[in-house]
Amino acid sequence: MKKIILPSLLVTQLFTANVFAETAVKPSGVVVTANRFSSTDFNANQSIKIISRDDIDNSPYSSIPDLLRSQAGIKVSSQYGNQGIDAIVDMRGFGESAIGNTLILIDGQRLNNVDSSSIQWSSIPLSNIDHIEILPGSGGVLFGDKASGGVINIVTNKSGKNSSSIKTTLGSYDFIGLDAYLSGSNKGFYYNSGISSSKENGYRENSQSVSNAISGRVGISSDRYDSFIDYSLYQQENGTPGAISSSVFNANPKAARFQNNFQRKDGFKVRPGLNIKISDSLEFSSEFSVSRQGFKSDNPDFPSKSYRVIDTYTFSPRIKWDHNFSGLKSSSVFGFDYILGKLNVNNFGNANQSAEDKSYGIYLQNTTWLASYLNLTSGLRSHHNEQKANQDAYTSYGQYNPYVQGETSQNKKAYEISLNYFKDNWGGYVKNNQGFRFANLDELYGYDQNYISTFYGNILKAQISKNNEIGLLYKSNVFDARVALFRTELTNEIAYNSLLGANTNYDPTLRQGLETNLNFKITEGVDVKFIYSYLDARFTSGSLDSKFVPSVPKEAGSFILGWNNQEYGKYLLQANYVGSRYFADDIQNTKDKMPQYLTLDAKATWKINEFKINLTGLNIFDKKYAQSGILNFSKTDYFYYPANGRSLYISAEYEFK
């Protein structure tokens, strides 16, 4: 994508936005993850947590992963800086395999790729987000594969309200960013679009990056139907300095292990959809999506070079029926999901590989209101998955390796039953559910003695998770509290086993813990938030019995102090703590742990008429730390992915009236 395209689009669209009348097409603040239909009933599922648009605006963070890391039970491992490049979001302690156990959605449709490549976070401009829904520990019935740790649903703004804004940001390490948002509607036609472009040299050597993205929706809506097309287009390239040894990290965390390696990602997604309100009690929705992601990895310091392409096709029709069950208000959702993912990898100088993942499933979920303050939700999904992979013949160090192929077919079920209560100021829930996950396509491959990616024809068994959870909520004008206790048992957990040098099915494992959110309104303009999680993630049988899962801290938390004064502006101070945890690959727990760390971030916002000025400071005390690390192959040294040092940003935003 040419670097001039997005700035040109900003100017063109901002000045054409005001031709539309200010007519709202859809209400904002809807919750989708409760039943895969837009709903304003937040009491249907008490375990859902919401990051509101105000939370996003007040946060000091400019990427979705950083927004999420201050939520109880969520850990983020970012390898390259503050922009979310290759960041992995981990719900409830899956460590290095978190990408296959935390399901990321946008408007109810999955963003996870069929391989283990990271989410392209920069393809979703923050300006285009209405709110974010977090559903911990469940989601297998409604959404299927990869929801063992939970579901995060990014809901975009579809209000159609006439609005446009532009923001420019300057910051540390020569960061410059340009963002814009615009939306409008006229006689049923509506649209919204978010545009983002940024460039920086980076905190570390060879950590420069350039990113451009545009995404949005155009549609036609009435009281009875909504037809639309969602779209996104993105490009990102960045240096990949790699992990550095402990001695280098202690001497100079800005150093790069690889001075010349880089990667480039580009892609698009188009998703037409339709929602029809057939009657007052019957509603139909369906989407079809086509997406492509290209990933070029050029590593002259290895040396190695590859180019992979992922093509994904999805189809998800569903119907919602509001009815009475034995005289009780009920709502049932029946749906079908089809997902086809194709992976093709050209490994220059080594064997080419290809793989395919095809899934389809049907599900039924019913919610019955036993009373105005109490509902019972139950659901079942039956899912079929087919995977196949192959590798061309190749010669490595004089040894001939023949063509290899393999395939498998598996059927799995997910279920859930939950009881949700909310009356006056009190709420709570209990739930029991089972989910599953199939291997990501690149998890079918291992490495030979020369560290060359190799397929041995091995297809992994599906992972099964069983979760029990209880939560208690209280909400008043001055105090908001949420506490959850959970226990998740897993069989055939899919993860990389460093003892074998391959992805395997582990012996049984366990996750159990506590998550707490406490919000206090001290005065009319002063708020305090305390977020804490305790997590015990370990093996429960086999040769690794009682060993802890690497990369998973037992404790993590945030303390947030906010002051909002109409005359003097808004101010926020946020402290984030992450406890010690074993390095990745140390599944025997024989080495030292990664150090705990505490960082402090701050933000100040001033609004003058249509202008808004933001001043942000991240890692104010310049703490030297790493969010992720790994042992070297011989298990004799520790390698770190250093986090950014002190970073300062100033932005100016103008909202057109």
Side-chain angles (χ1 to χ4, degrees), residues 93 488 490 493 507-512 534 536-541 544-549 554 589:
T488 303
L490 293 107
E493 180 176 349
D507 289 323
T509 55
L510 170 71
R511 274 81 172 167
Q512 58 185 357
Y534 174 85
D536 179 14
R538 67 174 69 206
F539 297 87
T540 56
S541 67
L544 297 172
D545 187 16
S546 299
K547 302 296 184 183
F548 293 103
V549 177
K554 271 194 172 183
N589 299 170

Side-chain angles (χ1 to χ4, degrees), residues 353 389-391 404-406 444-446 453-459:
Q353 300 162 334
N390 63 69
Q391 178 172 272
V404 180
Q405 65 177 356
L444 307 179
Y445 296 86
S453 178
T454 303
F455 178 57
Y456 296 105
N458 179 41
I459 304 291

Side-chain angles (χ1 to χ4, degrees), residues 375-394:
N375 73 69
L376 177 68
T377 297
S378 59
L380 179 67
R381 170 183 283 262
S382 179
H383 205 92
H384 177 77
N385 176 262
E386 299 174 8
Q387 292 182 329
K388 57 183 179 181
N390 63 69
Q391 178 172 272
D392 294 344
Y394 71 102

Side-chain angles (χ1 to χ4, degrees), residues 28-30 51-53 56 128-132 155-157:
S28 60
V30 298
I51 300 176
S52 69
R53 181 67 238 182
I56 296 172
N128 205 22
I129 298 175
D130 181 85
H131 66 277
I132 299 174
V155 181
T156 59
N157 189 340

Side-chain angles (χ1 to χ4, degrees), residues 15-267:
F15 281 97
T16 59
N18 291 324
V19 301
F20 295 96
E22 185 174 344
T23 305
V25 175
K26 284 188 173 183
S28 60
V30 298
V31 59
V32 179
T33 46
N35 60 10
R36 292 187 70 168
F37 282 82
S38 297
S39 172
T40 55
D41 187 357
F42 285 83
N43 293 328
N45 189 331
Q46 290 294 316
S47 62
I48 296 175
K49 296 183 284 186
I50 304 293
I51 300 176
S52 69
R53 181 67 238 182
D54 284 343
D55 294 332
I56 296 172
D57 289 337
N58 294 332
S59 169
Y61 308 119
S62 59
S63 72
I64 297 173
D66 282 340
L67 273 171
L68 294 169
R69 70 176 174 145
S70 58
Q71 299 297 307
I74 297 180
K75 176 181 176 290
V76 173
S77 297
S78 183
Q79 295 184 354
Y80 304 120
N82 296 327
Q83 309 310 312
I85 299 173
D86 287 345
I88 296 175
V89 175
D90 184 2
M91 293 181 70
R92 296 196 166 171
F94 285 86
E96 299 307 300
S97 62
I99 193 69
N101 290 281
T102 303
L103 183 60
I104 311 296
L105 310 171
I106 182 165
D107 295 325
Q109 299 296 306
R110 61 180 57 225
L111 287 175
N112 299 63
N113 292 311
V114 291
D115 69 347
S116 298
S117 57
S118 59
I119 304 296
Q120 189 63 22
W121 300 105
S122 63
S123 68
I124 312 167
L126 284 183
S127 59
N128 205 22
I129 298 175
D130 181 85
H131 66 277
I132 299 174
E133 301 165 1
I134 301 172
L135 177 60
S138 60
V141 169
L142 286 176
F143 302 104
D145 185 23
K146 295 180 174 59
S148 300
V151 175
I152 296 171
N153 185 34
I154 303 161
V155 181
T156 59
N157 189 340
K158 310 173 191 66
S159 67
K161 180 181 178 181
N162 186 37
S163 175
S164 58
S165 63
I166 186 168
K167 181 173 76 171
T168 182
T169 305
L170 300 175
S172 299
Y173 323 118
D174 299 319
F175 178 87
I176 181 169
L178 188 64
D179 299 89
Y181 175 77
L182 58 146
S183 63
S185 62
N186 187 28
K187 297 180 180 178
F189 171 78
Y190 70 99
Y191 79 98
N192 65 79
S193 183
I195 305 172
S196 176
S197 181
S198 66
K199 180 180 180 181
E200 69 169 339
N201 286 332
Y203 169 72
R204 299 176 60 194
E205 299 172 10
N206 192 34
S207 63
Q208 68 282 351
S209 68
V210 177
S211 180
N212 299 288
I214 178 171
S215 67
R217 168 179 289 197
V218 294
I220 300 174
S221 181
S222 73
D223 293 338
R224 287 290 180 180
Y225 72 88
D226 179 25
S227 59
F228 60 86
I229 298 178
D230 291 335
Y231 60 89
S232 65
L233 181 68
Y234 63 87
Q235 172 269 321
Q236 175 184 288
E237 58 183 50
N238 62 279
T240 52
I244 54 178
S245 66
S246 56
S247 60
V248 175
F249 175 72
N250 291 326
N252 180 19
K254 294 184 178 182
R257 185 182 180 190
F258 306 115
Q259 294 288 343
N260 303 296
N261 294 355
F262 77 93
Q263 63 184 14
R264 177 188 172 94
K265 297 179 182 178
D266 52 45

Side-chain angles (χ1 to χ4, degrees), residues 292 307-311 342-346 353-355:
R292 165 167 285 203
Y307 181 67
R308 65 171 59 197
V309 175
I310 303 170
D311 291 300
K342 296 183 177 182
L343 171 68
N344 287 282
V345 185
N346 289 325
Q353 300 162 334
S354 64

